[in-house]
Amino acid sequence: MNKELIRLKVNGEVHEVAVPPHKLLLDVLREDLGLTGAKRGCDDSSCGCCAVLVDSVAILSCVAIASCYQDAEIVTVEGIAPPGTLDPVQEGYALAGGAQCGYCTPGFLICTKALLARHPHPTLEEIRVALSSNLCRCTGYMQIYESVQLAIERAQAREAAKPAPVGR
Amino acid sequence: MTMPACRVARPKTVEEAVRILADSGPEAMIIAGGTDVVPNLQMKLFTPRVLVDIKPIRALAGITMVAGGALRIGALNTLTEIVDSPLVQSNYPVLVSAVATIAGPLQRNMGTLGGNLCLETRCLWYNQSYFWRKALGGCLKKEGDVCHVAPGGARCWAVWSGDSAPALLTLDAEMEIAGPRGSRRLPLAKFYRNDGIYRVALGRDEMVTAVFLPARTVGRRGLYHKLRIRDSIDYPLAGVAVALEVDRNGVCREARVAVTAVNPAPLLVNEASEWLVGQKYSPELVERVAQAAIRTGKPLTTSASTPVYRRDMLRVFTRRALEEAWKNGRD
């Protein structure tokens, strides 16, 4: 199959890659762009390890054809915070034991990021529903829910610590 | 698993998409969200030469009130958009109840209403890798000539595993279908053919463009119950949708009951309307309708759960859903 030149905007950067037109977004991210954060878990759209944000909506990159997402803003787990820094979501997972083997973690981080962007103060039930596409075989999920709650606190603390806007 | 090599066409209009479908014949396949199509492609259940990506067609998305008070939902609206739509929430609760159970939030963010209404039928013997299927000589639906579910027959029993279709059946929904000769409307009940292989009445050169919910079914109280192994993500093993109109004296004025995941099509329980209309709630009446639901559903060994259990849950769900809808119906 002839390759096709496609243009993807990932983590704020535009990449041009030559790939077969049917190549999956997950494979382009991992193999062509070297972004190995998103993982292949189940390979049939039921585990959530491959989640990425497309225009702020979390989707499964293992059932997305890369060439169909050329107009979108794609964010992978590598792009949720500037290099060398951690997003409050990442801090929450690190401090509350939300990751054990770590394989499912990028998917959870992406879904948590999408949830908090829409609802900064979700209830426990809303957290459970938002993360119900993601499977974790290590933690038993309790630490993950605690991680999200800690992430909310840390995001609030950061917000409060910001200097007041000039002119007030 | 790997994707079969194919080209991707990107039409900008419905007319262009239909032309590509007509020109390519059986070699073309529509893709929108990809949550059903891509895993099936990877299992080599289909090997199209061209995938027609309809996502860029803007006219295919939008939830709008149209003339006469009907609601039009575009084929490309995602399942998340439907659950979140205030117009759907306030007018058609049974649809929200059903769509909210489809897979998980990630799949609902991608999957579209059109895709959910045109799902591929599912079976233990069909949704397997090429290697697995080949080892058993295939089945009636793919690569073989015998149905392992009902070996004596010449019929494919792969089940309809959609959740939105039964809810839409209880709302008397209509499909809008585009083809080379223009657009046509078809009642949803006539869209499904109850055949595991030829599952929907859709030509190879046609595509679903929208769903219409009539004004007369606005406000029907309803809900959907679903049996599955993992409550967060799985396909239904049995499902029941119920929609009722109940007057202020508690008398049923209109009723629909539909079952899914137990036949090759989602089906209305025909006796339900006849028996319920004009009646007040009673456990005996509801039990009678539940027995009719069992007669409509014919679960076979197409999934990991047993037909006996799925049949029994059909009865429980029908009884429960009717009781709950009736109580909600009393103002």
Side-chain angles (χ1 to χ4, degrees), chain A residues 13-135:
Chain A
E13 238 178 273
V14 177
H15 301 266
E16 277 193 343
V17 282
V19 296
H22 58 269
K23 191 163 184 176
L24 298 173
L25 180 58
L26 176 65
D27 293 326
V28 173
L29 291 173
R30 292 180 59 86
E31 296 168 5
D32 298 273
L33 303 182
L35 296 167
T36 54
K39 302 283 187 279
R40 169 164 276 122
C42 62
D43 205 16
D44 72 354
S45 82
S46 47
C47 78
C49 289
C50 64
V52 298
L53 297 175
V54 168
D55 296 330
S56 309
V57 175
I59 67 145
L60 297 156
S61 62
C62 77
V63 290
I65 291 177
S67 62
C68 300
Y69 288 81
Q70 298 190 65
D71 302 321
E73 292 268 351
I74 300 165
V75 175
T76 67
V77 72
E78 289 91 343
I80 63 174
T85 64
L86 290 180
D87 188 85
V89 172
Q90 290 166 308
E91 289 178 355
Y93 275 76
L95 295 170
Q100 284 183 32
C101 87
Y103 200 84
C104 68
T105 311
F108 273 97
L109 292 175
I110 286 289
C111 291
T112 307
K113 185 82 182 157
L115 167 71
L116 298 188
R118 277 188 77 192
H119 304 290
H121 304 288
T123 62
L124 180 59
E125 186 53 29
E126 284 167 338
I127 296 171
R128 294 171 69 106
V129 171
L131 299 181
S132 61
S133 284
N134 299 77
L135 299 185

Side-chain angles (χ1 to χ4, degrees), chain B residues 211-231:
Chain B
V211 171
F212 286 89
L213 296 172
R216 68 173 183 281
T217 61
V218 166
R220 272 189 193 169
R221 290 281 137 198
L223 61 142
Y224 178 70
H225 279 306
K226 166 173 177 175
L227 175 70
R228 47 182 165 174
I229 298 197
R230 298 166 296 185
D231 263 340

